[in-house]
Amino acid sequence: MNFTRWSARLPGTQRRAARGTEGSVPAARGEYGQQLEQLPEDTEGTAADTAEVPALEDFSVRELLGRLPGLVALVYGPEHRIAYVNDAYAAAFGPRPAGATVADTCPEAEELGLLPLMDQVLRSGKPRTVKSRRTQDGGSYTVTCLPVDSPHIEGGVLVHAADVTDHAEAAERLRASERRHRETAVTLQRSLLPQELEQPDDLRIAATYQPGGTDAAVGGDWYDVITLGAGRTALVIGDVMGRGVRAAAVMGQLRTAVRAYARLDLPPHEVLQLLDGLAAEIDASQIATCVYAIHDPSEGKLVYASAGHLPILVRDEDGTVRLAEDPTGPPLGTGGWLHASGSIALPPGSTAVLYTDGLVERRREDIDEGVEALARALAGASGTPQVVCDRLLRALGVTAEHDDDVAVLVVQHPSRQGSDAELFHNAALELLGGVEAAPRARAFATGVLSSWRFPVELRDLGVLATSELVANSLQHGTPPMRLRMRRTDRRLIIEVTDGDDHLPRRRRAETEDEAGRGISIIATIASSWGSRRTPGGGKAVWCEFALPNKP
């Protein structure tokens, strides 16, 4: 480059040149000469002030560079020997002797990475810039190296450094503030998720939540596992649209509401119907998707309802992957839609996967392609639920820098064999014949509990609970009636169903009352009890007994 011409473009040069002319306006001499001759006579002093316009060559380059607020150094030769540093450079880093090499006398050049930069400038003949480089004393500089085109300097490089310490510190404070905000949102998000998943008797469950990368705000992905009693389990996964603390807060409210509605033991579509109205009340601008599913080990299937969420995937024991498609309604908060429940088989040995869109959605790709990729990955994924979670994340390319939140819930219905299978049994009896069904039910319960080798005390309690549940159904229910008994490795479950949908409640019986003590007796002797309405009308009343821990 031409050093004289370049110096005219240095910051502040033109302003100082203008001040040196004491208020005159620089211009091309020929044009202004003609215009000045045409000025009216009453423009006093104007022609005299602008008659002599100094040229840039009239100013000392050393004086110009010395007054620049930026740091300037001129080096030459392949060894980058110092020809000149201005006052600002000397004030920042100290004086530098002329003729010395930059490598030997300028430690700041090493800190700022200038030596390779100057080598590149000499080789390419083009300017190079590095931004916001920090020195050991805490200063930050943006440095530009320009090749110098002069017959007196061979291999010259002009180094111009702007002190951007204030800007760098402000940017660092902003980044620190953003990190704190993100950490707060992540902490809130994680605190609203289950700290420890409930593990039902008949299922093995694992879940993974991974927030988006550092450039992505935390979203509203969530999941939950809720034991409903009588061996039944509710599985939930959802996604609140939006980012940040607000989305996480809405997610927390929805998760709390789901747990409350789950205690009512309602069908999945009724739970979503309640959530739909609640989501609109919480924040009409926040749309959420959700899948609510219930697993009943006696039926061997998932009964589910979906509000705009992605379909559940089920992998059978042979590796075949099935998709739970219908029914799917609109997202929560939209209103005006009656949700419906569907079902998908979950036999022993199968694995179900519930997930949010962050796992399968990619830019410039259809989301159906992502679901197909997940199905392929699931077909080859085996092992424990946590292993399956990790394998799916790897197969779908989810890393710590992923640009969206990801939640995955893996549910396995293990296939039990040998001694393990002996701990899980089912027995059922149709209650026919009116009042004589009660003694038949007691005899059936006695035989079953004896065959399951329960201790005498637990067997007697089980027979008593069966008698009270059957008597309650015979008195207040309608046919068809059915007794169902189930044992797991942790509990004994007794359940009676009938055709009447009136749910029993516990009440205080007076001394003279001849009835009304059945549910109170059940609540006293059992670990837990409950009731629910069954699909198609009717109800189920159940109780559980915790099995004694074996030494």
Side-chain angles (χ1 to χ4, degrees), residues 75-82 118-119 122 153-157:
V75 302
Y76 64 92
E79 296 180 348
H80 307 303
R81 295 186 177 277
I82 298 172
M118 291 187 290
D119 290 337
L122 289 182
I153 299 178
E154 180 181 357
V157 175

Side-chain angles (χ1 to χ4, degrees), residues 20-171:
T21 63
E22 298 179 353
S24 61
V25 180
R29 295 179 180 178
E31 294 179 1
Y32 264 67
Q34 297 176 2
Q35 294 176 7
L36 291 174
E37 292 176 359
Q38 300 172 5
L39 288 175
E41 294 181 0
D42 58 354
T43 55
E44 182 179 352
T46 303
D49 292 340
T50 59
E52 294 295 332
V53 180
L56 186 60
E57 288 79 2
D58 297 334
F59 295 92
S60 167
V61 173
R62 178 180 292 272
E63 181 182 1
L64 289 176
L65 295 180
R67 294 185 179 183
L68 284 179
L71 285 63
V72 177
L74 180 63
V75 302
Y76 64 92
E79 296 180 348
H80 307 303
R81 295 186 177 277
I82 298 172
Y84 167 80
V85 296
N86 70 348
D87 294 341
Y89 193 104
F93 299 120
R96 298 291 183 258
T101 63
V102 171
D104 293 337
T105 59
C106 300
E108 69 277 1
E110 182 70 25
E111 298 170 11
L112 297 173
L114 297 187
L115 293 175
L117 195 69
M118 291 187 290
D119 290 337
Q120 293 177 20
V121 171
L122 289 182
R123 288 194 301 268
S124 65
K126 296 180 180 180
R128 293 285 187 271
T129 299
V130 291
K131 295 183 178 180
S132 194
R133 293 286 180 88
R134 185 181 295 272
T135 58
Q136 291 183 356
D137 63 0
S140 295
Y141 299 88
T142 292
V143 184
T144 299
C145 295
L146 303 100
V148 175
D149 180 17
S150 172
H152 306 293
I153 299 178
E154 180 181 357
V157 175
L158 183 75
V159 180
H160 177 265
D163 189 342
V164 294
T165 304
D166 292 342
H167 296 285
E169 291 176 351

Side-chain angles (χ1 to χ4, degrees), residues 163-183:
D163 189 342
V164 294
T165 304
D166 292 342
H167 296 285
E169 291 176 351
E172 181 57 34
R173 289 193 297 270
L174 178 60
R175 286 192 294 269
S177 176
E178 291 175 347
R179 284 195 299 269
R180 288 192 298 269
H181 181 79
R182 174 178 168 75
E183 289 169 0

Side-chain angles (χ1 to χ4, degrees), residues 166-495:
D166 292 342
H167 296 285
E169 291 176 351
E172 181 57 34
R173 289 193 297 270
L174 178 60
R175 286 192 294 269
S177 176
E178 291 175 347
R179 284 195 299 269
R180 288 192 298 269
H181 181 79
R182 174 178 168 75
E183 289 169 0
T184 300
V186 170
T187 301
L188 174 62
Q189 173 84 327
R190 292 194 182 279
S191 66
L192 293 174
L193 293 174
Q195 302 306 300
E196 184 176 353
L197 286 179
E198 298 181 31
Q199 293 293 337
D201 298 356
D202 295 88
L203 300 175
R204 297 293 177 266
I205 301 176
T208 294
Y209 168 74
Q210 179 170 305
T214 55
D215 294 334
V218 173
D221 293 14
W222 56 288
Y223 57 83
D224 209 347
V225 178
I226 309 165
T227 54
L228 303 177
R232 302 164 71 250
T233 306
L235 309 165
V236 195
I237 195 162
D239 186 2
V240 177
M241 306 302 176
R243 298 286 182 177
V245 174
R246 179 59 184 168
V250 172
M251 175 274 289
Q253 295 178 76
L254 289 178
R255 176 176 174 254
T256 301
V258 168
R259 294 193 71 88
Y261 295 147
R263 298 306 176 194
L264 301 176
D265 213 339
L266 299 172
H269 64 277
E270 293 189 21
V271 172
L272 290 192
Q273 209 71 51
L274 293 172
L275 280 178
D276 183 54
L278 180 65
E281 293 177 7
I282 293 174
D283 190 340
S285 64
Q286 293 278 7
I287 304 300
T289 64
C290 180
V291 167
Y292 183 89
I294 295 177
H295 174 258
D296 190 331
S298 300
E299 298 178 357
K301 63 182 179 181
L302 283 177
V303 179
Y304 68 91
S306 175
H309 204 80
L310 293 165
I312 300 172
L313 296 181
V314 174
R315 177 188 184 272
D316 292 328
E317 197 168 13
D318 61 0
T320 303
V321 176
R322 293 176 285 116
L323 197 70
E325 296 181 350
D326 294 325
T328 299
L332 300 175
T334 55
W337 181 268
L338 292 177
H339 292 275
S341 295
S343 64
I344 185 170
L346 190 69
S350 60
T351 301
V353 177
L354 294 77
Y355 53 96
T356 56
D357 58 2
L359 182 64
V360 296
E361 190 173 29
R362 301 291 183 271
R363 291 187 177 89
R364 297 181 296 276
E365 288 185 13
D366 189 88
I367 196 168
D368 290 337
E369 297 178 8
V371 174
E372 292 174 0
L374 176 60
R376 291 192 297 271
L378 178 60
S382 58
T384 66
Q386 189 59 58
V387 169
V388 173
C389 274
D390 296 340
R391 289 182 176 178
L392 294 181
L393 291 178
R394 288 196 300 270
L396 273 294
V398 177
T399 65
E401 299 304 319
H402 193 59
D403 61 359
D404 196 4
D405 286 20
V406 175
V408 182
L409 185 65
V410 174
V411 181
Q412 286 185 348
H413 185 186
S415 178
R416 296 182 174 88
Q417 298 177 352
S419 59
D420 189 28
E422 291 298 319
L423 299 176
F424 292 81
H425 289 289
N426 289 283
L429 174 68
E430 300 296 332
L431 299 175
L432 305 173
V435 293
E436 64 270 21
R440 291 182 58 243
R442 285 193 293 270
F444 176 79
T446 301
V448 169
L449 296 178
S450 298
S451 68
W452 289 349
R453 301 175 183 175
F454 284 150
V456 174
E457 181 181 357
L458 181 57
R459 185 169 65 234
D460 292 343
L461 291 175
V463 172
L464 176 59
T466 301
S467 178
E468 294 296 335
L469 289 177
V470 171
N472 183 78
S473 183
L474 289 172
Q475 183 175 357
H476 302 288
T478 59
M481 301 178 185
R482 191 168 188 256
L483 168 65
R484 188 169 67 178
M485 306 181 72
R486 176 172 176 78
R487 74 152 294 169
T488 70
D489 57 345
R490 286 182 265 179
R491 73 196 77 234
L492 165 66
I493 302 167
I494 303 172
E495 184 177 73

